[in-house]
PDB file of all heavy atoms in Angstrom:
ATOM      1  N   PRO X   1       5.486 -67.444 -27.982  1.00  0.00           N
ATOM      2  CA  PRO X   1       5.368 -66.231 -27.163  1.00  0.00           C
ATOM      3  C   PRO X   1       5.103 -66.476 -25.685  1.00  0.00           C
ATOM      4  O   PRO X   1       4.018 -66.176 -25.167  1.00  0.00           O
ATOM      5  CB  PRO X   1       4.205 -65.488 -27.828  1.00  0.00           C
ATOM      6  CG  PRO X   1       3.326 -66.582 -28.354  1.00  0.00           C
ATOM      7  CD  PRO X   1       4.269 -67.666 -28.802  1.00  0.00           C
ATOM      8  N   GLU X   2       6.101 -66.990 -24.981  1.00  0.00           N
ATOM      9  CA  GLU X   2       5.970 -67.134 -23.527  1.00  0.00           C
ATOM     10  C   GLU X   2       5.960 -65.724 -22.925  1.00  0.00           C
ATOM     11  O   GLU X   2       6.697 -64.849 -23.352  1.00  0.00           O
ATOM     12  CB  GLU X   2       7.129 -67.946 -22.970  1.00  0.00           C
ATOM     13  CG  GLU X   2       7.370 -69.271 -23.687  1.00  0.00           C
ATOM     14  CD  GLU X   2       6.126 -70.148 -23.737  1.00  0.00           C
ATOM     15  OE1 GLU X   2       5.404 -70.224 -22.717  1.00  0.00           O
ATOM     16  OE2 GLU X   2       5.885 -70.750 -24.800  1.00  0.00           O
ATOM     17  N   GLY X   3       5.148 -65.502 -21.926  1.00  0.00           N
ATOM     18  CA  GLY X   3       5.061 -64.182 -21.307  1.00  0.00           C
ATOM     19  C   GLY X   3       3.960 -63.313 -21.867  1.00  0.00           C
ATOM     20  O   GLY X   3       3.742 -62.204 -21.382  1.00  0.00           O
ATOM     21  N   ALA X   4       3.247 -63.812 -22.892  1.00  0.00           N
ATOM     22  CA  ALA X   4       2.137 -63.053 -23.456  1.00  0.00           C
ATOM     23  C   ALA X   4       0.864 -63.302 -22.670  1.00  0.00           C
ATOM     24  O   ALA X   4       0.708 -64.343 -22.025  1.00  0.00           O
ATOM     25  CB  ALA X   4       1.924 -63.435 -24.918  1.00  0.00           C
ATOM     26  N   ASP X   5      -0.072 -62.364 -22.733  1.00  0.00           N
ATOM     27  CA  ASP X   5      -1.403 -62.575 -22.154  1.00  0.00           C
ATOM     28  C   ASP X   5      -2.228 -63.476 -23.075  1.00  0.00           C
ATOM     29  O   ASP X   5      -2.940 -64.366 -22.620  1.00  0.00           O
ATOM     30  CB  ASP X   5      -2.120 -61.243 -21.958  1.00  0.00           C
ATOM     31  CG  ASP X   5      -1.409 -60.351 -20.955  1.00  0.00           C
ATOM     32  OD1 ASP X   5      -1.411 -60.698 -19.763  1.00  0.00           O
ATOM     33  OD2 ASP X   5      -0.853 -59.319 -21.362  1.00  0.00           O
ATOM     34  N   LEU X   6      -2.120 -63.206 -24.376  1.00  0.00           N
ATOM     35  CA  LEU X   6      -2.752 -64.045 -25.396  1.00  0.00           C
ATOM     36  C   LEU X   6      -1.686 -64.481 -26.379  1.00  0.00           C
ATOM     37  O   LEU X   6      -0.883 -63.661 -26.840  1.00  0.00           O
ATOM     38  CB  LEU X   6      -3.847 -63.274 -26.143  1.00  0.00           C
ATOM     39  CG  LEU X   6      -5.127 -62.921 -25.391  1.00  0.00           C
ATOM     40  CD1 LEU X   6      -6.049 -62.100 -26.293  1.00  0.00           C
ATOM     41  CD2 LEU X   6      -5.853 -64.182 -24.917  1.00  0.00           C
ATOM     42  N   ALA X   7      -1.669 -65.765 -26.699  1.00  0.00           N
ATOM     43  CA  ALA X   7      -0.704 -66.295 -27.658  1.00  0.00           C
ATOM     44  C   ALA X   7      -1.438 -66.769 -28.904  1.00  0.00           C
ATOM     45  O   ALA X   7      -2.427 -67.499 -28.811  1.00  0.00           O
ATOM     46  CB  ALA X   7       0.082 -67.450 -27.039  1.00  0.00           C
ATOM     47  N   VAL X   8      -0.971 -66.355 -30.060  1.00  0.00           N
ATOM     48  CA  VAL X   8      -1.546 -66.784 -31.333  1.00  0.00           C
ATOM     49  C   VAL X   8      -0.730 -67.961 -31.847  1.00  0.00           C
ATOM     50  O   VAL X   8       0.459 -67.821 -32.149  1.00  0.00           O
ATOM     51  CB  VAL X   8      -1.536 -65.634 -32.366  1.00  0.00           C
ATOM     52  CG1 VAL X   8      -2.096 -66.114 -33.697  1.00  0.00           C
ATOM     53  CG2 VAL X   8      -2.340 -64.451 -31.845  1.00  0.00           C
ATOM     54  N   GLY X   9      -1.357 -69.121 -31.915  1.00  0.00           N
ATOM     55  CA  GLY X   9      -0.669 -70.333 -32.333  1.00  0.00           C
ATOM     56  C   GLY X   9      -0.723 -70.540 -33.835  1.00  0.00           C
ATOM     57  O   GLY X   9      -1.808 -70.539 -34.433  1.00  0.00           O
ATOM     58  N   LEU X  10       0.454 -70.717 -34.455  1.00  0.00           N
ATOM     59  CA  LEU X  10       0.566 -70.967 -35.887  1.00  0.00           C
ATOM     60  C   LEU X  10       1.202 -72.323 -36.174  1.00  0.00           C
ATOM     61  O   LEU X  10       0.793 -73.026 -37.097  1.00  0.00           O
ATOM     62  CB  LEU X  10       1.420 -69.869 -36.557  1.00  0.00           C
ATOM     63  CG  LEU X  10       1.041 -68.407 -36.268  1.00  0.00           C
ATOM     64  CD1 LEU X  10       2.037 -67.480 -36.957  1.00  0.00           C
ATOM     65  CD2 LEU X  10      -0.374 -68.119 -36.738  1.00  0.00           C
ATOM     66  N   PHE X  11       2.207 -72.684 -35.392  1.00  0.00           N
ATOM     67  CA  PHE X  11       2.911 -73.945 -35.616  1.00  0.00           C
ATOM     68  C   PHE X  11       1.953 -75.115 -35.410  1.00  0.00           C
ATOM     69  O   PHE X  11       1.200 -75.171 -34.442  1.00  0.00           O
ATOM     70  CB  PHE X  11       4.102 -74.087 -34.658  1.00  0.00           C
ATOM     71  CG  PHE X  11       5.157 -73.026 -34.843  1.00  0.00           C
ATOM     72  CD1 PHE X  11       5.635 -72.313 -33.762  1.00  0.00           C
ATOM     73  CD2 PHE X  11       5.659 -72.745 -36.095  1.00  0.00           C
ATOM     74  CE1 PHE X  11       6.611 -71.343 -33.919  1.00  0.00           C
ATOM     75  CE2 PHE X  11       6.635 -71.774 -36.280  1.00  0.00           C
ATOM     76  CZ  PHE X  11       7.112 -71.070 -35.181  1.00  0.00           C
ATOM     77  N   GLY X  12       1.999 -76.058 -36.346  1.00  0.00           N
ATOM     78  CA  GLY X  12       1.125 -77.222 -36.266  1.00  0.00           C
ATOM     79  C   GLY X  12      -0.287 -76.944 -36.738  1.00  0.00           C
ATOM     80  O   GLY X  12      -1.116 -77.854 -36.770  1.00  0.00           O
ATOM     81  N   LEU X  13      -0.580 -75.705 -37.104  1.00  0.00           N
ATOM     82  CA  LEU X  13      -1.920 -75.323 -37.581  1.00  0.00           C
ATOM     83  C   LEU X  13      -1.876 -74.869 -39.043  1.00  0.00           C
ATOM     84  O   LEU X  13      -2.719 -75.266 -39.843  1.00  0.00           O
ATOM     85  CB  LEU X  13      -2.492 -74.219 -36.707  1.00  0.00           C
ATOM     86  CG  LEU X  13      -2.877 -74.675 -35.296  1.00  0.00           C
ATOM     87  CD1 LEU X  13      -2.373 -73.696 -34.258  1.00  0.00           C
ATOM     88  CD2 LEU X  13      -4.384 -74.821 -35.181  1.00  0.00           C
ATOM     89  N   LEU X  14      -0.935 -74.013 -39.379  1.00  0.00           N
ATOM     90  CA  LEU X  14      -0.771 -73.601 -40.772  1.00  0.00           C
ATOM     91  C   LEU X  14      -0.065 -74.705 -41.548  1.00  0.00           C
ATOM     92  O   LEU X  14       0.764 -75.429 -40.995  1.00  0.00           O
ATOM     93  CB  LEU X  14       0.039 -72.303 -40.840  1.00  0.00           C
ATOM     94  CG  LEU X  14      -0.632 -71.066 -40.235  1.00  0.00           C
ATOM     95  CD1 LEU X  14       0.274 -69.851 -40.409  1.00  0.00           C
ATOM     96  CD2 LEU X  14      -1.992 -70.793 -40.864  1.00  0.00           C
ATOM     97  N   PRO X  15      -0.407 -74.865 -42.850  1.00  0.00           N
ATOM     98  CA  PRO X  15      -1.251 -74.032 -43.702  1.00  0.00           C
ATOM     99  C   PRO X  15      -2.719 -74.441 -43.723  1.00  0.00           C
ATOM    100  O   PRO X  15      -3.378 -74.339 -44.765  1.00  0.00           O
ATOM    101  CB  PRO X  15      -0.612 -74.226 -45.081  1.00  0.00           C
ATOM    102  CG  PRO X  15      -0.126 -75.653 -45.040  1.00  0.00           C
ATOM    103  CD  PRO X  15       0.276 -75.914 -43.625  1.00  0.00           C
ATOM    104  N   GLY X  16      -3.248 -74.878 -42.593  1.00  0.00           N
ATOM    105  CA  GLY X  16      -4.656 -75.253 -42.520  1.00  0.00           C
ATOM    106  C   GLY X  16      -5.575 -74.045 -42.529  1.00  0.00           C
ATOM    107  O   GLY X  16      -5.141 -72.909 -42.728  1.00  0.00           O
ATOM    108  N   GLY X  17      -6.832 -74.269 -42.262  1.00  0.00           N
ATOM    109  CA  GLY X  17      -7.822 -73.216 -42.373  1.00  0.00           C
ATOM    110  C   GLY X  17      -8.106 -72.482 -41.090  1.00  0.00           C
ATOM    111  O   GLY X  17      -9.073 -71.702 -41.018  1.00  0.00           O
ATOM    112  N   ARG X  18      -7.277 -72.681 -40.056  1.00  0.00           N
ATOM    113  CA  ARG X  18      -7.530 -72.003 -38.787  1.00  0.00           C
ATOM    114  C   ARG X  18      -6.236 -71.764 -38.036  1.00  0.00           C
ATOM    115  O   ARG X  18      -5.199 -72.387 -38.322  1.00  0.00           O
ATOM    116  CB  ARG X  18      -8.466 -72.846 -37.913  1.00  0.00           C
ATOM    117  CG  ARG X  18      -7.846 -74.140 -37.449  1.00  0.00           C
ATOM    118  CD  ARG X  18      -8.816 -75.081 -36.769  1.00  0.00           C
ATOM    119  NE  ARG X  18      -8.163 -76.361 -36.485  1.00  0.00           N
ATOM    120  CZ  ARG X  18      -7.669 -76.719 -35.296  1.00  0.00           C
ATOM    121  NH1 ARG X  18      -7.771 -75.880 -34.276  1.00  0.00           N
ATOM    122  NH2 ARG X  18      -7.105 -77.884 -35.130  1.00  0.00           N
ATOM    123  N   ILE X  19      -6.298 -70.838 -37.108  1.00  0.00           N
ATOM    124  CA  ILE X  19      -5.248 -70.643 -36.119  1.00  0.00           C
ATOM    125  C   ILE X  19      -5.913 -70.745 -34.757  1.00  0.00           C
ATOM    126  O   ILE X  19      -7.137 -70.858 -34.666  1.00  0.00           O
ATOM    127  CB  ILE X  19      -4.539 -69.281 -36.290  1.00  0.00           C
ATOM    128  CG1 ILE X  19      -5.552 -68.136 -36.198  1.00  0.00           C
ATOM    129  CG2 ILE X  19      -3.784 -69.244 -37.598  1.00  0.00           C
ATOM    130  CD1 ILE X  19      -4.915 -66.759 -36.254  1.00  0.00           C
ATOM    131  N   GLN X  20      -5.138 -70.711 -33.699  1.00  0.00           N
ATOM    132  CA  GLN X  20      -5.713 -70.751 -32.355  1.00  0.00           C
ATOM    133  C   GLN X  20      -5.144 -69.633 -31.506  1.00  0.00           C
ATOM    134  O   GLN X  20      -4.020 -69.175 -31.706  1.00  0.00           O
ATOM    135  CB  GLN X  20      -5.437 -72.110 -31.685  1.00  0.00           C
ATOM    136  CG  GLN X  20      -6.254 -73.252 -32.261  1.00  0.00           C
ATOM    137  CD  GLN X  20      -6.179 -74.508 -31.413  1.00  0.00           C
ATOM    138  OE1 GLN X  20      -5.133 -74.845 -30.864  1.00  0.00           O
ATOM    139  NE2 GLN X  20      -7.296 -75.207 -31.300  1.00  0.00           N
ATOM    140  N   VAL X  21      -5.977 -69.188 -30.553  1.00  0.00           N
ATOM    141  CA  VAL X  21      -5.547 -68.190 -29.585  1.00  0.00           C
ATOM    142  C   VAL X  21      -5.590 -68.830 -28.206  1.00  0.00           C
ATOM    143  O   VAL X  21      -6.596 -69.455 -27.834  1.00  0.00           O
ATOM    144  CB  VAL X  21      -6.452 -66.946 -29.618  1.00  0.00           C
ATOM    145  CG1 VAL X  21      -6.001 -65.927 -28.577  1.00  0.00           C
ATOM    146  CG2 VAL X  21      -6.442 -66.314 -31.006  1.00  0.00           C
ATOM    147  N   TYR X  22      -4.505 -68.691 -27.458  1.00  0.00           N
ATOM    148  CA  TYR X  22      -4.387 -69.313 -26.144  1.00  0.00           C
ATOM    149  C   TYR X  22      -4.289 -68.221 -25.072  1.00  0.00           C
ATOM    150  O   TYR X  22      -3.495 -67.291 -25.200  1.00  0.00           O
ATOM    151  CB  TYR X  22      -3.133 -70.188 -26.055  1.00  0.00           C
ATOM    152  CG  TYR X  22      -2.986 -71.188 -27.170  1.00  0.00           C
ATOM    153  CD1 TYR X  22      -2.278 -70.860 -28.327  1.00  0.00           C
ATOM    154  CD2 TYR X  22      -3.538 -72.454 -27.077  1.00  0.00           C
ATOM    155  CE1 TYR X  22      -2.138 -71.763 -29.356  1.00  0.00           C
ATOM    156  CE2 TYR X  22      -3.391 -73.377 -28.110  1.00  0.00           C
ATOM    157  CZ  TYR X  22      -2.689 -73.023 -29.246  1.00  0.00           C
ATOM    158  OH  TYR X  22      -2.543 -73.926 -30.268  1.00  0.00           O
ATOM    159  N   ALA X  23      -5.080 -68.330 -24.025  1.00  0.00           N
ATOM    160  CA  ALA X  23      -4.977 -67.417 -22.887  1.00  0.00           C
ATOM    161  C   ALA X  23      -3.865 -67.909 -21.971  1.00  0.00           C
ATOM    162  O   ALA X  23      -3.863 -69.062 -21.559  1.00  0.00           O
ATOM    163  CB  ALA X  23      -6.293 -67.353 -22.129  1.00  0.00           C
ATOM    164  N   ARG X  24      -2.910 -67.009 -21.670  1.00  0.00           N
ATOM    165  CA  ARG X  24      -1.764 -67.384 -20.844  1.00  0.00           C
ATOM    166  C   ARG X  24      -1.798 -66.772 -19.450  1.00  0.00           C
ATOM    167  O   ARG X  24      -1.023 -67.166 -18.577  1.00  0.00           O
ATOM    168  CB  ARG X  24      -0.465 -66.971 -21.540  1.00  0.00           C
ATOM    169  CG  ARG X  24      -0.203 -67.666 -22.874  1.00  0.00           C
ATOM    170  CD  ARG X  24      -0.133 -69.155 -22.710  1.00  0.00           C
ATOM    171  NE  ARG X  24       0.433 -69.827 -23.867  1.00  0.00           N
ATOM    172  CZ  ARG X  24       0.247 -71.110 -24.136  1.00  0.00           C
ATOM    173  NH1 ARG X  24      -0.501 -71.850 -23.320  1.00  0.00           N
ATOM    174  NH2 ARG X  24       0.799 -71.651 -25.198  1.00  0.00           N
ATOM    175  N   THR X  25      -2.680 -65.806 -19.248  1.00  0.00           N
ATOM    176  CA  THR X  25      -2.800 -65.154 -17.943  1.00  0.00           C
ATOM    177  C   THR X  25      -4.278 -64.997 -17.610  1.00  0.00           C
ATOM    178  O   THR X  25      -5.146 -65.192 -18.471  1.00  0.00           O
ATOM    179  CB  THR X  25      -2.145 -63.758 -17.957  1.00  0.00           C
ATOM    180  OG1 THR X  25      -2.854 -62.918 -18.885  1.00  0.00           O
ATOM    181  CG2 THR X  25      -0.680 -63.833 -18.353  1.00  0.00           C
ATOM    182  N   ALA X  26      -4.549 -64.619 -16.373  1.00  0.00           N
ATOM    183  CA  ALA X  26      -5.941 -64.387 -15.974  1.00  0.00           C
ATOM    184  C   ALA X  26      -6.548 -63.261 -16.805  1.00  0.00           C
ATOM    185  O   ALA X  26      -7.706 -63.328 -17.218  1.00  0.00           O
ATOM    186  CB  ALA X  26      -6.005 -64.043 -14.484  1.00  0.00           C
TER     187      ALA X  26
END
């Protein structure tokens, strides 16, 4: 999700026990 304010990362994380949220803008 390029262009998002917050990106929810799934690739490289699932099927593990967590996901990550990345801030893309101020």
Side-chain angles (χ1 to χ4, degrees):
E2 309 305 319
D5 296 291
L6 290 177
V8 178
L10 309 177
F11 297 130
L13 290 134
L14 294 181
R18 67 189 174 100
I19 58 176
Q20 288 192 322
V21 179
Y22 309 92
R24 297 301 194 201
T25 64

